[in-house]
């Protein structure tokens, strides 16, 4: 069976792997489209501390059920278009005990701590397979990254009286823009790329800020009558954006952290206390977030084609990843087409 493997720094190749044996509680999926995400790029660049190498990447899945095991519920049938929840949960740690399985202490995400979905077929427990209704497998490959942004909005407890600043307009940030707008908030999208900012407006942002060319602080005070945003969602993972989130959020505001900073970040901790901030991590997504994204995509208002930068065959994937590594700011999603 054909698969894509990352074996080292900037090393990606096509390999043959054995087919997996289907057990009674499992589903065999035929992969149609799998998306490369930021964690895959970090793995390729040798900057992902959680990955176990070598690894088959990929956890953004658009697939069709090929076969089901004997104990799989009737709701999952061959021929159905599905996506997948790519996270594991142990059921025993503090997170699982508190019903926050997305933050399981011992989570192993497909394509990171265990081999992922960049292959022709994969076997998964039926509980991790999510029917996608009438969505195409191509669209399904966008569900998981958007669900991470949706989950961050839930963590922020966004309402219609909030001004929400989303820093970073990649796929995860776009999910946060969409979900905040759905909840009636006034959304401010911030990024260094004007094309992404234009798309963020199409997806629900009321205002945009180019953090490279504009005075972020002045613009935010102008937009919020001097208060600052009630919520800041950090979806980049850099020293500058983490510091911006704490500096710019309003007094008694909420800062939601999605991105992993690659280096240590220094803060003016007086802001934590003076502003009485709620600073919350946001990891992965809950099953309800997946359902919410599917519901959004079924409406047909999402500009799916603009979110897909490139479609490639497995053989073209190494070159596509190299190009993304050389110019990361211009790429939303690269989809690998397996069928």
């Amino acid at each position: 069976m054909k698969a894509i493997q990352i074996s080292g720094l900037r090393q990606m190749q096509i390999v043959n792997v054995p087919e997996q044996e289907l057990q009674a509680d499992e589903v065999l999926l035929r992969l149609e489209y799998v998306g490369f995400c930021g964690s895959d790029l970090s793995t390729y660049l040798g900057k992902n501390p959680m990955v176990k190498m070598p690894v088959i990447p990929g956890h953004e899945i658009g697939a069709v059920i090929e076969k089901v095991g004997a104990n799989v519920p009737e709701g999952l049938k061959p021929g159905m278009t599905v996506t997948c929840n790519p996270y594991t949960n142990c059921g025993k740690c503090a997170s699982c005990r508190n019903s926050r399985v997305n933050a399981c202490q011992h989570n192993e995400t497909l394509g990171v701590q265990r081999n992922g979905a960049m292959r022709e077929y994969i076997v998964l427990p039926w509980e991790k397979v999510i029917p996608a209704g009438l969505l195409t497998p191509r669209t399904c490959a966008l569900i998981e990254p958007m669900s991470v942004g949706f989950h961050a909005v839930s963590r922020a407890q966004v309402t219609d009286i909030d001004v929400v600043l989303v820093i970073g307009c990649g796929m995860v940030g776009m999910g946060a823009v969409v979900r905040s707008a759905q909840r009636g908030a006034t959304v401010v999208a911030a990024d260094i790329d004007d094309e992404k900012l234009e798309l963020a407006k199409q997806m629900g942002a009321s205002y945009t800020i180019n953090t490279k060319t504009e005075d972020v602080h002045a613009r935010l005070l102008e937009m919020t009558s001097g208060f600052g945003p009630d919520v800041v969602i950090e979806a980049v993972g850099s020293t500058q954006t983490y510091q911006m989130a704490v500096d710019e959020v309003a007094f008694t505001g909420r800062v939601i952290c999605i991105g992993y900073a690659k280096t240590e970040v220094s803060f003016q901790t007086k802001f934590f206390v003076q502003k009485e901030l709620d600073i919350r991590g946001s990891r992965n997504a809950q099953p309800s977030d997946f359902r919410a994204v599917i519901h959004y995509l079924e409406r047909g208002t999402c500009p799916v084609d603009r979110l897909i930068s490139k479609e490639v065959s497995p053989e073209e994937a190494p070159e596509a990843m190299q190009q993304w590594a050389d110019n990361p700011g211009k790429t939303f999603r690269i989809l690998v087409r397996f069928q």
Side-chain angles (χ1 to χ4, degrees):
M1 176 174 60
K2 184 187 301 182
I4 296 170
Q5 183 186 74
I6 300 175
S7 56
L9 178 63
R10 291 181 178 261
Q11 295 178 7
M12 177 181 286
Q13 58 272 326
I14 305 299
V15 297
N16 286 314
V17 297
E19 294 184 5
Q20 298 171 280
E21 187 174 338
L22 182 68
Q23 302 298 322
D25 294 317
E26 295 177 329
V27 176
L28 173 65
L29 302 181
R30 182 178 76 246
L31 279 306
E32 298 276 338
Y33 289 88
V34 183
F36 278 125
C37 79
S39 65
D40 298 324
L41 179 61
S42 294
T43 298
Y44 180 74
L45 294 174
K47 297 179 179 180
N48 190 342
M50 296 180 293
V51 74
K52 294 180 181 179
M53 299 284 278
V55 68
I56 297 171
H59 54 253
E60 302 176 358
I61 294 170
V64 174
I65 295 178
E66 184 80 3
K67 189 176 180 181
V68 299
N71 295 339
V72 174
E74 291 185 4
L76 297 174
K77 299 179 182 297
M80 290 180 65
T81 298
V82 298
T83 191
C84 301
N85 183 328
Y87 325 120
T88 63
N89 53 284
C90 69
K92 300 175 182 179
C93 70
S95 300
C96 291
R97 187 174 61 180
N98 292 326
S99 300
R100 289 165 65 176
V101 296
N102 58 291
C104 174
Q105 182 178 349
H106 306 292
N107 167 64
E108 293 187 346
T109 299
L110 284 173
V112 185
Q113 295 95 343
R114 58 188 173 131
N115 280 325
M118 286 283 176
R119 60 178 91 182
E120 294 177 286
Y121 294 89
I122 192 169
V123 171
L124 292 173
W126 70 262
E127 297 93 339
K128 298 299 181 180
V129 178
I130 303 172
L134 298 178
L135 297 181
T136 66
R138 180 173 179 263
T139 300
C140 285
L142 304 179
I143 293 171
E144 191 275 342
M146 293 194 76
S147 72
V148 176
F150 272 46
H151 182 66
V153 174
S154 294
R155 291 283 291 142
Q157 298 176 296
V158 170
T159 73
D160 59 352
I161 63 172
D162 288 321
V163 175
V164 179
L165 171 65
V166 178
I167 306 175
C169 292
M171 277 295 300
V172 171
M174 288 296 188
V177 167
V178 169
R179 194 57 164 165
S180 297
Q182 284 184 334
R183 292 190 175 200
T186 300
V187 184
V188 183
D191 200 278
I192 62 173
D193 185 89
D194 286 331
E195 185 177 346
K196 289 183 177 180
L197 292 173
E198 177 193 349
L199 183 54
K201 269 201 165 183
Q202 186 177 344
M203 299 184 73
S206 299
Y207 304 97
T208 61
I209 301 175
N210 187 315
T211 58
K212 196 173 184 179
T213 61
E214 299 181 76
D215 185 330
V216 176
H217 183 68
R219 287 291 314 282
L220 287 172
L221 291 182
E222 176 188 345
M223 295 171 187
T224 62
S225 302
F227 291 106
D230 304 284
V231 174
V232 179
I233 297 176
E234 197 288 329
V236 175
S238 74
T239 299
Q240 295 83 358
T241 52
Y242 263 89
Q243 290 171 337
M244 181 189 299
V246 172
D247 290 348
E248 299 300 340
V249 71
F251 274 63
T252 66
R254 288 99 75 197
V255 175
I256 310 301
C257 307
I258 308 176
Y260 283 91
K262 307 303 185 292
T263 58
E264 292 186 1
V265 182
S266 298
F267 292 102
Q268 290 288 343
T269 55
K270 66 178 183 180
F271 289 151
F272 296 7
V273 178
Q274 288 180 348
K275 292 185 176 184
E276 200 175 53
L277 297 180
D278 291 332
I279 300 177
R280 306 174 185 176
S282 182
R283 184 182 181 191
N284 301 330
Q286 290 271 26
S288 59
D289 301 308
F290 282 85
R291 293 196 302 272
V293 173
I294 291 170
H295 182 62
Y296 161 66
L297 291 171
E298 284 178 330
R299 296 176 185 174
T301 59
C302 179
V304 169
D305 289 339
R306 293 195 63 187
L307 295 174
I308 299 171
S309 304
K310 184 181 296 186
E311 292 181 26
V312 298
S313 67
E315 290 75 16
E316 295 167 328
E319 182 180 357
M321 181 60 83
Q322 178 64 58
Q323 292 173 350
W324 188 16
D326 292 339
N327 190 14
K330 289 293 183 182
T331 299
F332 278 107
R333 272 302 176 273
I334 297 171
L335 299 188
V336 180
R337 183 180 59 254
F338 278 90
Q339 303 295 333

PDB file of all heavy atoms in Angstrom, residues 6 10 12 36-37 40-42 44-45 57 310 316-326 334:
ATOM      1  N   ILE A   6       7.556  11.032   6.288  1.00  0.00           N
ATOM      2  CA  ILE A   6       8.604  11.992   6.638  1.00  0.00           C
ATOM      3  C   ILE A   6       9.609  11.246   7.499  1.00  0.00           C
ATOM      4  O   ILE A   6       9.254  10.714   8.563  1.00  0.00           O
ATOM      5  CB  ILE A   6       8.044  13.205   7.386  1.00  0.00           C
ATOM      6  CG1 ILE A   6       7.005  13.935   6.535  1.00  0.00           C
ATOM      7  CG2 ILE A   6       9.179  14.165   7.773  1.00  0.00           C
ATOM      8  CD1 ILE A   6       6.300  15.080   7.254  1.00  0.00           C
ATOM      9  N   ARG A  10      13.484  17.772   6.258  1.00  0.00           N
ATOM     10  CA  ARG A  10      13.207  18.011   4.842  1.00  0.00           C
ATOM     11  C   ARG A  10      13.333  16.739   4.009  1.00  0.00           C
ATOM     12  O   ARG A  10      13.700  16.785   2.834  1.00  0.00           O
ATOM     13  CB  ARG A  10      14.113  19.123   4.281  1.00  0.00           C
ATOM     14  CG  ARG A  10      13.776  20.502   4.836  1.00  0.00           C
ATOM     15  CD  ARG A  10      14.668  21.576   4.239  1.00  0.00           C
ATOM     16  NE  ARG A  10      14.340  22.906   4.728  1.00  0.00           N
ATOM     17  CZ  ARG A  10      13.597  23.792   4.068  1.00  0.00           C
ATOM     18  NH1 ARG A  10      13.121  23.497   2.871  1.00  0.00           N
ATOM     19  NH2 ARG A  10      13.359  24.980   4.588  1.00  0.00           N
ATOM     20  N   MET A  12      11.101  13.659   2.657  1.00  0.00           N
ATOM     21  CA  MET A  12       9.782  13.060   2.448  1.00  0.00           C
ATOM     22  C   MET A  12       9.850  12.166   1.221  1.00  0.00           C
ATOM     23  O   MET A  12      10.443  12.538   0.202  1.00  0.00           O
ATOM     24  CB  MET A  12       8.723  14.154   2.247  1.00  0.00           C
ATOM     25  CG  MET A  12       7.325  13.623   1.957  1.00  0.00           C
ATOM     26  SD  MET A  12       6.114  14.947   1.692  1.00  0.00           S
ATOM     27  CE  MET A  12       5.914  15.529   3.370  1.00  0.00           C
ATOM     28  N   PHE A  36      -2.353  18.461   4.292  1.00  0.00           N
ATOM     29  CA  PHE A  36      -1.157  18.782   5.065  1.00  0.00           C
ATOM     30  C   PHE A  36      -1.478  19.964   5.976  1.00  0.00           C
ATOM     31  O   PHE A  36      -2.063  20.966   5.527  1.00  0.00           O
ATOM     32  CB  PHE A  36       0.005  19.182   4.146  1.00  0.00           C
ATOM     33  CG  PHE A  36       0.759  18.023   3.567  1.00  0.00           C
ATOM     34  CD1 PHE A  36       0.918  17.907   2.195  1.00  0.00           C
ATOM     35  CD2 PHE A  36       1.321  17.060   4.388  1.00  0.00           C
ATOM     36  CE1 PHE A  36       1.631  16.848   1.648  1.00  0.00           C
ATOM     37  CE2 PHE A  36       2.029  15.993   3.849  1.00  0.00           C
ATOM     38  CZ  PHE A  36       2.182  15.887   2.475  1.00  0.00           C
ATOM     39  N   CYS A  37      -1.097  19.876   7.241  1.00  0.00           N
ATOM     40  CA  CYS A  37      -1.359  20.979   8.172  1.00  0.00           C
ATOM     41  C   CYS A  37      -0.056  21.544   8.704  1.00  0.00           C
ATOM     42  O   CYS A  37       1.042  21.075   8.377  1.00  0.00           O
ATOM     43  CB  CYS A  37      -2.257  20.523   9.318  1.00  0.00           C
ATOM     44  SG  CYS A  37      -1.388  19.611  10.597  1.00  0.00           S
ATOM     45  N   ASP A  40       2.379  19.144  10.255  1.00  0.00           N
ATOM     46  CA  ASP A  40       3.147  18.374   9.271  1.00  0.00           C
ATOM     47  C   ASP A  40       4.327  19.189   8.749  1.00  0.00           C
ATOM     48  O   ASP A  40       5.425  18.658   8.562  1.00  0.00           O
ATOM     49  CB  ASP A  40       2.252  17.960   8.101  1.00  0.00           C
ATOM     50  CG  ASP A  40       1.105  17.065   8.526  1.00  0.00           C
ATOM     51  OD1 ASP A  40       1.295  16.241   9.428  1.00  0.00           O
ATOM     52  OD2 ASP A  40      -0.001  17.211   7.960  1.00  0.00           O
ATOM     53  N   LEU A  41       4.091  20.478   8.523  1.00  0.00           N
ATOM     54  CA  LEU A  41       5.184  21.347   8.080  1.00  0.00           C
ATOM     55  C   LEU A  41       6.259  21.435   9.156  1.00  0.00           C
ATOM     56  O   LEU A  41       7.458  21.382   8.851  1.00  0.00           O
ATOM     57  CB  LEU A  41       4.637  22.742   7.746  1.00  0.00           C
ATOM     58  CG  LEU A  41       5.669  23.782   7.286  1.00  0.00           C
ATOM     59  CD1 LEU A  41       6.370  23.321   6.011  1.00  0.00           C
ATOM     60  CD2 LEU A  41       5.003  25.135   7.062  1.00  0.00           C
ATOM     61  N   SER A  42       5.844  21.564  10.421  1.00  0.00           N
ATOM     62  CA  SER A  42       6.816  21.610  11.517  1.00  0.00           C
ATOM     63  C   SER A  42       7.619  20.320  11.590  1.00  0.00           C
ATOM     64  O   SER A  42       8.840  20.332  11.821  1.00  0.00           O
ATOM     65  CB  SER A  42       6.107  21.860  12.849  1.00  0.00           C
ATOM     66  OG  SER A  42       5.535  23.137  12.884  1.00  0.00           O
ATOM     67  N   TYR A  44       8.277  18.321   9.085  1.00  0.00           N
ATOM     68  CA  TYR A  44       9.163  18.340   7.915  1.00  0.00           C
ATOM     69  C   TYR A  44      10.391  19.225   8.166  1.00  0.00           C
ATOM     70  O   TYR A  44      11.494  18.915   7.714  1.00  0.00           O
ATOM     71  CB  TYR A  44       8.366  18.846   6.716  1.00  0.00           C
ATOM     72  CG  TYR A  44       9.118  18.932   5.413  1.00  0.00           C
ATOM     73  CD1 TYR A  44       9.443  17.781   4.690  1.00  0.00           C
ATOM     74  CD2 TYR A  44       9.476  20.162   4.877  1.00  0.00           C
ATOM     75  CE1 TYR A  44      10.114  17.864   3.482  1.00  0.00           C
ATOM     76  CE2 TYR A  44      10.151  20.251   3.669  1.00  0.00           C
ATOM     77  CZ  TYR A  44      10.472  19.095   2.980  1.00  0.00           C
ATOM     78  OH  TYR A  44      11.133  19.179   1.782  1.00  0.00           O
ATOM     79  N   LEU A  45      10.180  20.306   8.916  1.00  0.00           N
ATOM     80  CA  LEU A  45      11.270  21.254   9.198  1.00  0.00           C
ATOM     81  C   LEU A  45      12.040  20.905  10.468  1.00  0.00           C
ATOM     82  O   LEU A  45      12.911  21.662  10.901  1.00  0.00           O
ATOM     83  CB  LEU A  45      10.709  22.674   9.308  1.00  0.00           C
ATOM     84  CG  LEU A  45      10.118  23.253   8.023  1.00  0.00           C
ATOM     85  CD1 LEU A  45       9.463  24.601   8.298  1.00  0.00           C
ATOM     86  CD2 LEU A  45      11.194  23.398   6.951  1.00  0.00           C
ATOM     87  N   PRO A  57       2.538  11.246   7.906  1.00  0.00           N
ATOM     88  CA  PRO A  57       1.776  12.393   8.408  1.00  0.00           C
ATOM     89  C   PRO A  57       0.296  12.286   8.033  1.00  0.00           C
ATOM     90  O   PRO A  57      -0.136  11.311   7.411  1.00  0.00           O
ATOM     91  CB  PRO A  57       2.440  13.575   7.704  1.00  0.00           C
ATOM     92  CG  PRO A  57       2.921  12.995   6.410  1.00  0.00           C
ATOM     93  CD  PRO A  57       3.326  11.582   6.717  1.00  0.00           C
ATOM     94  N   LYS A 310      -3.697  24.057  -3.186  1.00  0.00           N
ATOM     95  CA  LYS A 310      -3.150  23.159  -4.201  1.00  0.00           C
ATOM     96  C   LYS A 310      -3.635  21.741  -3.931  1.00  0.00           C
ATOM     97  O   LYS A 310      -3.793  21.334  -2.787  1.00  0.00           O
ATOM     98  CB  LYS A 310      -1.618  23.201  -4.164  1.00  0.00           C
ATOM     99  CG  LYS A 310      -0.905  22.398  -5.231  1.00  0.00           C
ATOM    100  CD  LYS A 310       0.606  22.503  -5.086  1.00  0.00           C
ATOM    101  CE  LYS A 310       1.094  23.936  -5.307  1.00  0.00           C
ATOM    102  NZ  LYS A 310       2.576  23.998  -5.296  1.00  0.00           N
ATOM    103  N   GLU A 316       3.634  13.907  -6.133  1.00  0.00           N
ATOM    104  CA  GLU A 316       3.941  15.341  -6.183  1.00  0.00           C
ATOM    105  C   GLU A 316       4.057  15.971  -4.801  1.00  0.00           C
ATOM    106  O   GLU A 316       4.458  17.124  -4.675  1.00  0.00           O
ATOM    107  CB  GLU A 316       2.840  16.071  -6.965  1.00  0.00           C
ATOM    108  CG  GLU A 316       2.764  15.681  -8.436  1.00  0.00           C
ATOM    109  CD  GLU A 316       1.484  16.184  -9.091  1.00  0.00           C
ATOM    110  OE1 GLU A 316       0.440  16.279  -8.412  1.00  0.00           O
ATOM    111  OE2 GLU A 316       1.534  16.486 -10.304  1.00  0.00           O
ATOM    112  N   ALA A 317       3.708  15.217  -3.748  1.00  0.00           N
ATOM    113  CA  ALA A 317       3.667  15.769  -2.393  1.00  0.00           C
ATOM    114  C   ALA A 317       5.021  16.268  -1.886  1.00  0.00           C
ATOM    115  O   ALA A 317       5.085  17.341  -1.269  1.00  0.00           O
ATOM    116  CB  ALA A 317       3.085  14.731  -1.434  1.00  0.00           C
ATOM    117  N   PRO A 318       6.123  15.546  -2.087  1.00  0.00           N
ATOM    118  CA  PRO A 318       7.401  16.063  -1.583  1.00  0.00           C
ATOM    119  C   PRO A 318       7.760  17.443  -2.139  1.00  0.00           C
ATOM    120  O   PRO A 318       8.225  18.317  -1.399  1.00  0.00           O
ATOM    121  CB  PRO A 318       8.407  14.992  -2.025  1.00  0.00           C
ATOM    122  CG  PRO A 318       7.592  13.738  -2.089  1.00  0.00           C
ATOM    123  CD  PRO A 318       6.261  14.175  -2.624  1.00  0.00           C
ATOM    124  N   GLU A 319       7.535  17.638  -3.425  1.00  0.00           N
ATOM    125  CA  GLU A 319       7.834  18.945  -4.024  1.00  0.00           C
ATOM    126  C   GLU A 319       6.905  20.020  -3.475  1.00  0.00           C
ATOM    127  O   GLU A 319       7.328  21.147  -3.195  1.00  0.00           O
ATOM    128  CB  GLU A 319       7.710  18.874  -5.542  1.00  0.00           C
ATOM    129  CG  GLU A 319       8.046  20.199  -6.238  1.00  0.00           C
ATOM    130  CD  GLU A 319       7.913  20.122  -7.743  1.00  0.00           C
ATOM    131  OE1 GLU A 319       7.613  19.018  -8.268  1.00  0.00           O
ATOM    132  OE2 GLU A 319       8.086  21.158  -8.407  1.00  0.00           O
ATOM    133  N   ALA A 320       5.625  19.672  -3.298  1.00  0.00           N
ATOM    134  CA  ALA A 320       4.662  20.634  -2.755  1.00  0.00           C
ATOM    135  C   ALA A 320       5.031  21.041  -1.337  1.00  0.00           C
ATOM    136  O   ALA A 320       4.926  22.220  -0.960  1.00  0.00           O
ATOM    137  CB  ALA A 320       3.256  20.041  -2.790  1.00  0.00           C
ATOM    138  N   MET A 321       5.480  20.086  -0.533  1.00  0.00           N
ATOM    139  CA  MET A 321       5.888  20.403   0.830  1.00  0.00           C
ATOM    140  C   MET A 321       7.134  21.282   0.846  1.00  0.00           C
ATOM    141  O   MET A 321       7.246  22.212   1.652  1.00  0.00           O
ATOM    142  CB  MET A 321       6.136  19.114   1.612  1.00  0.00           C
ATOM    143  CG  MET A 321       6.547  19.334   3.057  1.00  0.00           C
ATOM    144  SD  MET A 321       5.315  20.227   4.057  1.00  0.00           S
ATOM    145  CE  MET A 321       4.213  18.886   4.513  1.00  0.00           C
ATOM    146  N   GLN A 322       8.058  21.016  -0.062  1.00  0.00           N
ATOM    147  CA  GLN A 322       9.257  21.849  -0.166  1.00  0.00           C
ATOM    148  C   GLN A 322       8.886  23.285  -0.512  1.00  0.00           C
ATOM    149  O   GLN A 322       9.411  24.249   0.065  1.00  0.00           O
ATOM    150  CB  GLN A 322      10.193  21.282  -1.227  1.00  0.00           C
ATOM    151  CG  GLN A 322      11.469  22.102  -1.460  1.00  0.00           C
ATOM    152  CD  GLN A 322      12.347  22.140  -0.228  1.00  0.00           C
ATOM    153  OE1 GLN A 322      12.763  21.096   0.271  1.00  0.00           O
ATOM    154  NE2 GLN A 322      12.630  23.331   0.286  1.00  0.00           N
ATOM    155  N   GLN A 323       7.957  23.451  -1.443  1.00  0.00           N
ATOM    156  CA  GLN A 323       7.521  24.793  -1.832  1.00  0.00           C
ATOM    157  C   GLN A 323       6.824  25.504  -0.678  1.00  0.00           C
ATOM    158  O   GLN A 323       7.010  26.702  -0.470  1.00  0.00           O
ATOM    159  CB  GLN A 323       6.594  24.702  -3.042  1.00  0.00           C
ATOM    160  CG  GLN A 323       7.299  24.250  -4.315  1.00  0.00           C
ATOM    161  CD  GLN A 323       6.335  23.996  -5.454  1.00  0.00           C
ATOM    162  OE1 GLN A 323       5.112  23.970  -5.278  1.00  0.00           O
ATOM    163  NE2 GLN A 323       6.875  23.778  -6.657  1.00  0.00           N
ATOM    164  N   TRP A 324       6.020  24.762   0.089  1.00  0.00           N
ATOM    165  CA  TRP A 324       5.345  25.352   1.251  1.00  0.00           C
ATOM    166  C   TRP A 324       6.365  25.787   2.298  1.00  0.00           C
ATOM    167  O   TRP A 324       6.262  26.871   2.880  1.00  0.00           O
ATOM    168  CB  TRP A 324       4.365  24.343   1.844  1.00  0.00           C
ATOM    169  CG  TRP A 324       3.482  24.903   2.923  1.00  0.00           C
ATOM    170  CD1 TRP A 324       3.260  26.218   3.202  1.00  0.00           C
ATOM    171  CD2 TRP A 324       2.699  24.169   3.860  1.00  0.00           C
ATOM    172  NE1 TRP A 324       2.371  26.342   4.257  1.00  0.00           N
ATOM    173  CE2 TRP A 324       2.021  25.102   4.667  1.00  0.00           C
ATOM    174  CE3 TRP A 324       2.494  22.807   4.068  1.00  0.00           C
ATOM    175  CZ2 TRP A 324       1.164  24.710   5.705  1.00  0.00           C
ATOM    176  CZ3 TRP A 324       1.638  22.414   5.087  1.00  0.00           C
ATOM    177  CH2 TRP A 324       0.982  23.362   5.892  1.00  0.00           C
ATOM    178  N   ALA A 325       7.376  24.955   2.517  1.00  0.00           N
ATOM    179  CA  ALA A 325       8.414  25.287   3.498  1.00  0.00           C
ATOM    180  C   ALA A 325       9.163  26.547   3.099  1.00  0.00           C
ATOM    181  O   ALA A 325       9.551  27.355   3.960  1.00  0.00           O
ATOM    182  CB  ALA A 325       9.382  24.118   3.646  1.00  0.00           C
ATOM    183  N   ASP A 326       9.355  26.744   1.811  1.00  0.00           N
ATOM    184  CA  ASP A 326      10.093  27.903   1.325  1.00  0.00           C
ATOM    185  C   ASP A 326       9.254  29.179   1.319  1.00  0.00           C
ATOM    186  O   ASP A 326       9.794  30.283   1.334  1.00  0.00           O
ATOM    187  CB  ASP A 326      10.615  27.634  -0.093  1.00  0.00           C
ATOM    188  CG  ASP A 326      11.685  26.555  -0.107  1.00  0.00           C
ATOM    189  OD1 ASP A 326      12.287  26.304   0.956  1.00  0.00           O
ATOM    190  OD2 ASP A 326      11.900  25.956  -1.175  1.00  0.00           O
ATOM    191  N   ILE A 334      -2.776  22.337   1.440  1.00  0.00           N
ATOM    192  CA  ILE A 334      -2.386  21.459   0.344  1.00  0.00           C
ATOM    193  C   ILE A 334      -3.088  20.141   0.580  1.00  0.00           C
ATOM    194  O   ILE A 334      -2.959  19.533   1.651  1.00  0.00           O
ATOM    195  CB  ILE A 334      -0.868  21.256   0.305  1.00  0.00           C
ATOM    196  CG1 ILE A 334      -0.142  22.573   0.043  1.00  0.00           C
ATOM    197  CG2 ILE A 334      -0.498  20.224  -0.775  1.00  0.00           C
ATOM    198  CD1 ILE A 334       1.367  22.489   0.208  1.00  0.00           C
TER     199      ILE A 334
END
